[in-house]
Amino acid sequence: MQEELYRAIFERRSVRKFEDVELKEGVLARLRTFTSEVRPLFPEIRTDFRVVGPEEVKGLFKVKAPHYLVAFSEKKDGDAANVGFMLQQVDLHLVSIGLGACWQGGPRLTRASREGSELEPVILLAFGIPLRDERRKGAPDFDRRPLSEITEISGHEEILEAARLAPSAMNRQPWYFTAGENGSINVYAARSSVRERMNLVSAGIALCHMWLAAAHQGFSVGFDREPDETTGPKGYDYVATMITRHASGAQSQVGNVAKGGRQVS
Ligand SMILES: Cc1cc2nc3c(=O)[nH]c(=O)nc-3n(C[C@H](O)[C@H](O)[C@H](O)COP(=O)(O)O)c2cc1C
């Protein structure tokens, strides 16, 4: 299952044009089951996911789709990254079963649909049957910054490459990766007064891709929220650390940190 999601990283593209048909109830039921079983980044944060129709969604940059998956969360430190991490597994799963999706940071639930849940809606994923097959054929099809702009780590290339290809709000790629202790990777999100939440969701998405790439390489993966370096890059906030262990239990070898560890602003 994780392997299918990993493969989908290199094929996915945001889908904004869908067939004007609803998915069969059986497909939606299986999707609900899949969603209820995704891995959380921070298991202590309560979440809930609900599929709604287009009449329950309004607002800026709304993509017209037959269905929207809404992520609700308890309001807690780490909530946005956690939801990004969880919903990205659904995004990739949809690709792997021939459907398509688009993250929806602008649109909101209508007031009536927000009621009845003690958790806060964080973000939506529009989904359905793509009008055309727009899947990518590999990394060259992605419009992304090079690794040298988003990390100082040398080593862990496959893991960082998967993070590099992650989707982000307005394709801003608001992340930076530094080497932590024992081969762990610290993840930071660009600080912003207006885009803070979306940047954190995007960092959670990148963490999901990193986990899948590490699992693909045979590592078992854990997450921590204690940076082992007190200072991150300038203008960025710490989000989480990914710790990888070989199945044998040994921690992975650290990639060398580039000399003079460049500052990012
Ligand atoms: C957190 C987040 C919010 C987004 N919000 C919107 C949105 O409101 N409307 C939209 O059309 N696309 C939205 N997108 C899609 C991005 O524009 C898209 O992922 C990015 O341009 C990269 O393109 P790709 O997904 O095809 O790789 C969002 C993506 C993310 C990750």
Side-chain angles (χ1 to χ4, degrees):
M1 203 284 292
Q2 280 172 16
E3 202 48 32
E4 268 170 38
L5 300 188
Y6 176 68
R7 272 201 302 276
I9 289 175
F10 304 91
E11 293 180 1
R12 70 157 293 289
R13 183 195 299 275
S14 293
V15 173
R16 296 189 174 83
K17 295 223 182 307
F18 296 95
E19 284 186 18
D20 193 12
V21 289
E22 291 184 8
L23 294 168
K24 296 207 171 79
E25 192 41 54
V27 176
L28 291 174
R30 282 196 294 281
L31 188 64
R32 285 192 194 93
T33 304
F34 179 91
T35 305
S36 69
E37 291 170 353
V38 297
R39 177 177 178 171
L41 177 62
F42 304 132
E44 66 280 10
I45 303 179
R46 280 190 304 142
T47 51
D48 190 20
F49 298 90
R50 203 198 298 162
V51 176
V52 303
E55 66 290 349
E56 298 190 53
V57 177
K58 57 168 188 186
L60 220 54
F61 306 120
K62 176 178 167 184
V63 164
K64 192 168 170 279
H67 308 286
Y68 299 80
L69 180 60
V70 191
F72 293 84
S73 176
E74 189 181 1
K75 238 179 150 52
K76 251 190 179 171
D77 194 29
D79 53 0
N82 186 49
V83 157
F85 185 90
M86 295 175 85
L87 264 197
Q88 185 57 11
Q89 294 165 59
V90 181
D91 181 27
L92 295 170
H93 173 64
L94 288 166
V95 175
S96 76
I97 59 172
L99 298 176
C102 186
W103 283 88
Q104 295 278 266
R108 300 274 168 268
L109 280 183
T110 57
R111 188 191 298 262
S113 306
R114 279 201 307 269
E115 282 163 7
S117 175
E118 51 183 300
L119 305 177
E120 299 268 327
V122 180
I123 194 152
L124 296 79
L125 201 59
F127 69 96
I129 303 171
L131 206 55
R132 287 181 298 276
D133 182 1
E134 297 181 72
R135 277 173 297 178
R136 289 172 164 125
K137 303 224 156 18
D141 284 353
F142 285 76
D143 171 21
R144 298 290 191 269
R145 289 153 65 185
L147 272 185
S148 58
E149 289 183 18
I150 58 169
T151 187
E152 61 187 19
I153 303 172
S154 66
H156 278 326
E157 282 92 359
E158 264 191 83
I159 293 173
L160 293 164
E161 174 67 359
R164 189 181 78 84
L165 300 182
S168 56
M170 324 256 302
N171 203 23
R172 286 181 184 273
Q173 306 160 64
W175 37 59
Y176 197 79
F177 308 96
T178 67
E181 285 170 4
N182 299 317
S184 64
I185 301 175
N186 296 320
V187 179
Y188 297 84
R191 199 171 301 140
S192 160
S193 51
V194 280
R195 286 188 288 272
E196 190 84 10
R197 299 280 287 168
M198 287 308 109
N199 285 357
L200 290 167
V201 171
S202 303
I205 296 173
L207 274 152
C208 170
H209 282 200
M210 289 165 62
W211 157 51
L212 293 170
H216 169 74
Q217 291 183 297
F219 289 114
S220 65
V221 176
F223 297 99
D224 197 358
R225 278 205 271 179
E226 292 295 321
D228 45 40
E229 290 175 352
T230 46
T231 53
K234 205 169 145 222
Y236 284 68
D237 287 323
Y238 173 76
V239 181
T241 298
M242 186 175 90
I243 301 151
T244 49
R245 271 174 209 281
H246 284 294
S248 65
Q251 285 193 329
S252 71
Q253 280 309 299
V254 200
N256 296 322
V257 179
K259 285 203 181 75
R262 57 191 278 284
Q263 280 278 305
V264 180
S265 52

